[in-house]
């Protein structure tokens, strides 16, 4: 039941995306709609990975420019968002191959959630610096599953397309990644309390 | 072959992350689900600077016009 409704939802999104991509190939304004729709997911992905606003902006710019330049190569086999996040992932990988991760913690600490929901009490205060630092300590595939499925909102099928893995494998990576992350955040907060 | 407990939890977590309705999902690992929601709640406040997003939008429009 759950799977069916998710499938229908994914199909609807895909049809809408295909229309938008078709329009974007013909008109600059239509690419603007795709840009507005996916800017937050791409930006958050790069921000969580880098922990640095300037790097996140730079990689976001590179991602969208590459997407625009390569739009004609998107053939609609998977979702547009998965295709776009694949570009984002390659841009980040290329960047981090040639740069050591540099988290400007004093800057990043300013992006804490100002109004955490009461119902999310266990980990209510997760700021960028803490999250970014903790994610870097996870095995890369587990961290990637968290970046894509939690931070950028991809389904396990879409994340699987980006990572070259089956949806089932992504689900397991995500569960294990969140489990590792939970332990790391707990340990960090215990150390801070000492 | 029956799914293992871990597989059932992984499926439940995936269903939870993509369900709009407040459903009771069997086998849901509550702490991981709670953490995922907290992360989503936190990152929803990571909004690109307006000046940056406007400049990038203009850059993309100019590039697209030039290409067309």
């Amino acid at each position: 039941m759950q799977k069916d409704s998710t499938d229908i939802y994914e199909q609807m999104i895909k049809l809408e995306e295909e229309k938008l991509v078709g329009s974007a190939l013909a008109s600059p304004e239509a690419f603007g709609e795709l840009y507005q729709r996916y800017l937050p997911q791409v930006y958050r992905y790069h921000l969580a990975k880098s922990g640095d606003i300037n790097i996140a902006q730079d990689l976001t710019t590179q991602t969208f420019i590459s997407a625009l330049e390569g739009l004609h190569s998107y053939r609609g086999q998977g979702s547009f968002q998965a295709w776009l996040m694949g570009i984002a992932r390659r841009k980040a990988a290329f960047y981090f191959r040639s740069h050591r991760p540099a988290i400007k913690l004093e800057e990043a600490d300013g992006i804490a959630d100002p109004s955490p929901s009461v119902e999310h009490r266990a980990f209510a205060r997760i700021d960028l610096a803490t999250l970014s630092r903790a994610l870097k300590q996870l095995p890369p595939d587990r961290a990637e599953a968290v970046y894509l499925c939690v931070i950028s909102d991809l389904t396990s099928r879409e994340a699987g397309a980006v990572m070259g893995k089956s949806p089932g494998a992504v689900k397991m990576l995500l569960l294990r990644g969140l489990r590792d992350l939970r332990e790391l955040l707990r340990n960090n907060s215990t150390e801070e309390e000492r | 072959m029956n799914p293992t407990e871990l597989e059932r939890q992984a499926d439940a977590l995936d269903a939870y992350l993509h369900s709009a309705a407040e459903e009771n999902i069997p086998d849901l690992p509550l702490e991981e689900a709670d953490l995922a929601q907290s992360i989503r709640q936190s990152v929803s406040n990571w909004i690109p600077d307006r000046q940056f997003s406007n400049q990038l939008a203009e850059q993309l429009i100019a590039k697209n016009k030039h290409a067309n």
Side-chain angles (χ1 to χ4, degrees):
Chain A
M1 183 72 185
Q2 180 62 48
K3 191 176 179 299
D4 288 347
S5 60
T6 305
D7 285 349
I8 292 166
Y9 178 72
E10 277 183 36
Q11 285 298 320
M12 284 169 61
I13 296 282
K14 194 166 177 297
L15 280 173
E16 203 183 328
E17 281 178 342
E18 278 173 12
K19 274 189 193 167
L20 277 176
V21 172
S23 307
L25 285 166
S27 129
E29 287 74 22
F31 187 79
E33 275 191 56
L34 287 167
Y35 166 72
Q36 292 297 342
R37 180 180 290 202
Y38 295 115
L39 174 65
Q41 283 96 326
V42 171
Y43 176 75
R44 285 168 192 157
Y45 175 85
H46 287 309
L47 189 55
K49 273 203 164 175
S50 66
D52 183 295
I53 293 168
N54 294 323
I55 296 170
Q57 289 183 349
D58 189 27
L59 291 174
T60 300
T61 300
Q62 289 181 35
T63 301
F64 277 102
I65 286 177
S66 286
L68 180 59
E69 287 172 347
L71 194 61
H72 58 277
S73 71
Y74 170 67
R75 307 205 189 284
Q77 304 96 323
S79 80
F80 176 79
Q81 190 185 1
W83 179 77
L84 182 65
M85 293 312 298
I87 297 173
R89 188 179 187 225
R90 288 191 290 279
K91 293 291 175 194
F94 184 78
Y95 178 85
F96 289 113
R97 264 202 297 272
S98 49
H99 296 79
R100 286 173 64 85
I103 304 177
K104 292 179 181 171
L105 296 178
E106 67 284 1
E107 186 178 3
D109 274 337
I111 317 178
D113 177 1
S115 56
S117 158
V118 177
E119 65 186 277
H120 302 132
R121 62 220 169 270
F123 297 96
R125 292 181 183 200
I126 306 177
D127 61 42
L128 170 60
T130 306
L131 183 59
S132 186
R133 202 163 27 204
L135 281 165
K136 282 190 177 69
Q137 294 175 60
L138 300 189
D141 276 354
R142 294 185 188 184
E144 195 65 34
V146 176
Y147 288 124
L148 292 173
C149 296
V150 180
I151 293 171
S152 294
D153 241 351
L154 259 59
T155 64
S156 50
R157 190 181 310 176
E158 291 170 330
V162 175
M163 296 173 70
K165 295 191 181 296
S166 70
V170 172
K171 289 178 195 176
M172 290 296 272
L173 287 168
L174 179 61
L175 176 63
R176 291 187 164 124
L178 286 168
R179 207 157 268 183
D180 292 348
L181 197 57
R182 190 192 70 200
E183 288 308 311
L184 279 167
L185 293 171
R186 276 221 178 105
N187 293 342
N188 288 350
S189 64
T190 309
E191 278 172 25
E192 279 169 19
E193 281 168 18
R194 279 181 195 156
Chain B
M1 199 171 80
N2 289 332
T4 64
E5 188 186 345
L6 208 61
E7 285 169 337
R8 285 198 303 274
Q9 288 185 342
D11 282 340
L13 183 65
D14 182 67
Y16 171 77
L17 286 175
H18 299 106
S19 68
E22 291 287 323
E23 294 173 47
N24 187 14
I25 301 173
D27 298 312
L28 181 67
L30 293 174
E31 288 189 279
E32 286 76 13
D34 194 27
L35 174 58
Q37 279 304 333
S38 294
I39 293 172
R40 281 194 169 165
Q41 183 84 10
S42 296
V43 303
S44 68
N45 290 300
W46 301 358
I47 296 162
D49 174 72
R50 184 168 293 182
Q51 192 184 351
F52 161 72
S53 56
N54 288 345
Q55 278 175 354
L56 178 53
E58 284 167 18
Q59 198 177 339
L60 292 169
I61 288 169
K63 201 167 181 59
N64 209 356
K65 272 184 181 153
H66 181 71
N68 286 335

